[in-house]
Structure formats: C-alpha cells, structure tokens
Amino acid sequence: DEDVPAHPVSYLYELQIRRTVQNLGLGKRLMTIIELLSIKLRMKKCMLTVFRSNEAAMGFYVRRKYVVDECSPSNFEGGEECDYEILSKSS
C-alpha cells in the first residue's frame, strides 16, 4: 500500500498552543518529548503536517531542523495547490 510508510515513523497530527501562552517553551518541550519517544521506540523519523500559511509554525519547525518530506504534496505535480506541507526530521 503506497499510503503506508516503508519504515516506522511517528506522526504528529496536531499541536495547538493558545496564543496567550505561546513563546513560553511549551511547544518546544512537547516536541522534545515526541522526538525522544520516537528515538526510544526506534522510529526512523518524526513527521507532521503544517499549513503553508502558518508562517510562525513553519518557522518553529524549521528551527527544530524539520524539512519538507519527500512525500509532501509540494514534491509532486499539482502539489503547489495544496495548502499544507508534510515535514519530517530523522530520529
């Protein structure tokens, strides 16, 4: 099945931090926990979806060394019309 990853990955479906408590380190702490769990469980990488229009979130993940994954829609014909990217970071 082409929708099933060839190797084990962790996938973060949503991470939402209320604006009033952003920039306090909560997101960073949560991502660290997810990344450490992924290593402990021998996942090959952490993956997540982020809206292209959410520049703050995109910057947050890029600072944490996430990159556009090979399976992200932007890597395929017509994918530039998608409003999101799939990012990943090797564990």
Side-chain angles (χ1 to χ4, degrees):
D1 184 3
E2 65 185 44
D3 292 334
V4 177
H7 45 272
V9 301
S10 58
Y11 202 103
L12 176 65
Y13 283 95
E14 287 192 34
L15 175 61
Q16 298 180 14
I17 307 291
R18 186 181 295 240
R19 286 191 198 275
T20 57
V21 294
Q22 288 180 358
N23 299 311
L24 298 177
L26 297 173
K28 183 177 178 181
R29 187 170 293 199
L30 289 169
M31 291 305 297
T32 298
I33 291 168
I34 291 165
E35 292 164 5
L36 289 172
L37 281 171
S38 295
I39 292 167
K40 179 80 172 169
L41 296 172
R42 298 191 175 126
M43 300 290 147
K44 295 295 181 189
K45 58 184 169 180
C46 296
M47 300 179 71
L48 57 91
T49 303
V50 62
F51 286 110
R52 288 181 178 178
S53 62
N54 191 340
E55 294 176 14
M58 189 69 85
F60 171 78
Y61 294 121
V62 168
R63 285 190 302 279
R64 295 196 59 81
K65 310 295 186 214
Y66 282 79
V67 296
V68 175
D69 193 78
E70 60 193 15
C71 73
S72 190
S74 64
N75 290 321
F76 298 93
E77 188 174 332
E80 60 277 350
E81 296 175 17
C82 272
D83 62 350
Y84 67 92
E85 291 283 8
I86 297 174
L87 305 182
S88 66
K89 177 180 178 178
S90 294
S91 296

